Amino acid sequence: MGPGGLRRWLSSRAPAPRICVVGSGPAGFYTAQHILKFLATGFLCSTPSCPAFLPEHHDLAQVDIYEKLPVPFGLVRFGVAPDHPEVKNVINTFTHTARSDRCAYYGNVTVGRDVTVGELQQAYHAVVLSYGAEDNRVLGIPGENLSGVYSARAFVGWYNGLPENRDKTDITDCSLAALACSKVKRVWLAGRRGPLQVAFTIKELREMINLPGTQPVLNPADFTGLENAVKDAPRPRKRLTELMIKTALEKHREKAVMAQAAVPRQWGLKFQRSPQEVLPTADGMRVRGVRMALTRLEGSGDSAKAVPTGDMEELECGLVLSSIGYRSLPLDPAVPFDTQHSIIPNNLGRVMGVPGLYCSGWVKRGPVGVIITTMNDSFDTAQSVLEDLQEGVLDVSVSKEGFGAVGSILRSRGIRPVSFSEWEKIDAAEVARGKAAGKPREKIVDPQEMLQLIGH
């Protein structure tokens, strides 16, 4: 919006912006937080070169967050490992945002079913889709549906108490009991490419190396010549590779000296292996192994491609976890969707061809990065919303009812949303149950039990 447009907006005292965010994970909360921050200050832009202001009634701007589960926080609650509680501290920031007078949380509302995206667009000046990646990619190989084959997403959801995975389930009692009596003695991590392309971090590698009663099994031959190859690599990649080399050599020497020593558990890395088929037991019911193609690399660095050599090998195992990534799903026929990349087509978070519709997080850019990546990405989308308010792309001259309109639609369809204060009752109950068991919390994993707890 130029100076003239801004003056007209200021003089017209246009209705306050009404914005809704779909999804209450990190992407949703960070988007809401950034929008509210700059609407609260009166600034539409965060850069010194953009001194545009909102009208005096900017403090009436409202951001509503919709979530399909009764409980908020997405992957912070359901995706962070129980032994990394420090990562969950961002929940404190999200809670502060949700308690703002200008923010409201509505759980137990499935957008695309209980209310359509078109109905949200009628009720709000801007709609931001931040619903993440709720499905997993598939290997697409024979035998993938055998008993004993699971996605990493299902496994993580199980031990984190994700409602849809609660029948397998900070770690729930039943999953803790199952893992405590686990007979798993050896875990192989197999990847199509080599040591220079691994996706884990040095922190994760250190934690694996230092697992009590567990021995890493790394083949020194896999790292031949890599000392020179990583000399000019970025520092994180260099340090990670050097630690793998050091571990491979040390453990190889230890093995030679203590060949007869009994190690309770082992884990190892198998590079340049591409799964071709999950092999069944004799009765055809369960997994007994995986047939893998050996690969060679074409190219170098992150752009290297794995090409089958023609050689094959079989790896015996009784459990297969496919950890090849999450993927987003289409939410509503009215929303464009790139099925090849499983994202919503967008430009800086603006959904292509649909003014007033935005996206952030994994549904915007794909399931990559950690929470800090999502934070920066969400701030970028929020900035696009703020710029469109400034430029007049979003027509705030027309009053929007926000949840006033959506609430009526939900009531007519028999849907009762869960407020943030009701979530806090569920939270208190989980913390009390955890205290009784000597844990930070014991998650309630059944949505119906959650709703009964708050009188729904």
Side-chain angles (χ1 to χ4, degrees):
M1 180 184 297
L6 182 58
R7 282 195 295 271
R8 285 193 296 274
W9 191 14
L10 287 166
S11 61
S12 67
R13 296 192 60 79
R18 292 286 182 267
I19 299 164
C20 92
V21 174
V22 178
S24 70
F29 264 106
Y30 277 129
T31 302
Q33 174 188 321
H34 195 74
I35 290 172
L36 289 169
K37 175 181 177 181
F38 288 100
L39 289 180
T41 61
F43 281 98
L44 281 173
C45 291
S46 59
T47 59
S49 61
C50 182
F53 288 87
L54 273 169
E56 293 177 358
H57 57 290
H58 60 78
D59 58 340
L60 298 179
Q62 178 74 27
V63 177
D64 294 338
I65 300 174
Y66 291 90
E67 166 61 50
K68 71 174 184 177
L69 292 174
V71 295
F73 309 134
L75 281 185
V76 179
R77 177 180 168 96
F78 295 118
V80 176
D83 58 344
H84 288 75
E86 72 284 353
V87 180
K88 300 186 181 186
N89 289 339
V90 294
I91 285 178
N92 298 330
T93 302
F94 299 160
T95 297
H96 180 75
T97 297
R99 287 174 175 169
S100 164
D101 291 340
R102 296 180 299 110
C103 183
Y105 168 83
Y106 300 105
N108 197 41
V109 177
T110 301
V111 173
R113 185 191 70 187
D114 301 334
V115 59
T116 68
V117 171
E119 288 167 335
L120 291 178
Q121 289 179 290
Q122 289 292 317
Y124 293 90
H125 294 104
V127 176
V128 185
L129 302 177
S130 306
Y131 61 88
E134 58 182 346
D135 198 9
N136 54 271
R137 293 174 178 165
V138 296
L139 292 166
I141 61 175
E144 190 169 8
N145 296 321
L146 287 171
S147 177
V149 181
Y150 302 95
S151 70
R153 179 184 180 277
F155 182 62
V156 172
W158 168 69
Y159 66 63
N160 268 325
L162 182 64
E164 67 185 72
N165 300 127
R166 65 184 182 273
D167 293 329
K168 289 171 226 181
T169 181
D170 285 298
I171 196 165
T172 59
D173 273 345
C174 59
S175 56
L176 182 60
L179 292 172
C181 64
S182 169
K183 296 180 181 178
V184 175
K185 301 300 181 186
R186 177 174 291 175
V187 175
W188 290 109
L189 288 82
R192 292 173 302 164
R193 300 192 292 172
L196 295 181
Q197 290 81 35
V198 296
F200 51 76
T201 66
I202 192 167
K203 178 182 177 183
E204 291 165 336
L205 178 61
R206 283 199 193 102
E207 290 179 340
M208 290 288 290
I209 292 170
N210 295 324
L211 282 174
T214 306
Q215 181 187 49
V217 182
L218 278 68
N219 186 351
D222 289 335
F223 303 94
T224 302
L226 291 193
E227 294 95 334
N228 292 328
V230 296
K231 280 184 178 178
D232 299 322
R235 187 167 181 268
R237 174 66 67 185
K238 181 180 179 182
R239 291 174 62 234
L240 173 60
T241 306
E242 289 173 344
L243 180 56
M244 283 192 286
I245 294 172
K246 179 174 180 285
T247 304
L249 294 175
E250 285 182 353
K251 297 305 176 184
H252 183 70
R253 285 193 293 268
E254 287 178 12
K255 186 177 179 182
V257 174
M258 304 175 63
Q260 305 303 317
V263 179
R265 294 181 176 87
Q266 294 180 328
W267 66 270
L269 299 173
K270 282 191 175 291
F271 298 110
Q272 294 180 232
R273 304 290 198 278
S274 179
Q276 302 298 300
E277 181 182 3
V278 179
L279 303 172
T281 50
D283 61 7
M285 300 299 291
R286 289 191 56 84
V287 57
R288 69 167 176 85
V290 181
R291 178 175 290 121
M292 295 186 174
L294 277 61
T295 67
R296 58 181 173 83
L297 297 185
E298 291 186 353
S300 60
D302 292 340
S303 61
K305 302 292 183 184
V307 180
T309 64
D311 294 327
M312 307 287 286
E313 74 173 20
E314 292 186 5
L315 180 65
E316 291 187 7
C317 57
L319 175 67
V320 174
L321 298 174
S322 63
S323 183
I324 57 173
Y326 291 28
R327 69 183 181 116
S328 299
L329 298 174
L331 182 72
D332 189 297
V335 181
F337 193 78
D338 180 343
T339 54
Q340 181 178 355
H341 299 97
S342 298
I343 60 171
I344 296 174
N346 69 92
N347 180 17
L348 300 176
R350 298 175 177 93
V351 176
M352 305 291 280
V354 190
L357 190 61
Y358 303 82
C359 57
S360 68
W362 283 3
V363 75
K364 169 187 173 184
R365 71 179 191 280
V368 293
V370 291
I371 289 179
I372 188 68
T373 320
T374 296
M375 180 186 75
N376 292 327
D377 169 83
S378 301
F379 285 179
D380 288 343
T381 292
Q383 196 62 36
S384 292
V385 175
L386 295 169
E387 288 172 4
D388 288 353
L389 279 171
Q390 173 194 335
E391 297 296 329
V393 175
L394 297 176
D395 184 8
V396 293
S397 65
V398 178
S399 179
K400 298 277 189 172
E401 294 184 55
F403 184 73
V406 175
S408 297
I409 292 171
L410 295 175
R411 283 192 297 274
S412 71
R413 294 170 184 167
I415 305 300
R416 186 174 174 185
V418 172
S419 68
F420 199 78
S421 61
E422 289 175 322
W423 143 247
E424 290 182 313
K425 292 179 182 177
I426 298 172
D427 178 49
E430 291 184 341
V431 171
R433 294 183 186 188
K435 186 176 180 180
K439 298 164 56 180
R441 75 171 60 239
E442 179 63 35
K443 288 177 183 171
I444 299 171
V445 297
D446 185 350
Q448 289 306 312
E449 184 180 352
M450 297 175 188
L451 297 178
Q452 290 171 4
L453 182 68
I454 57 177
H456 275 228

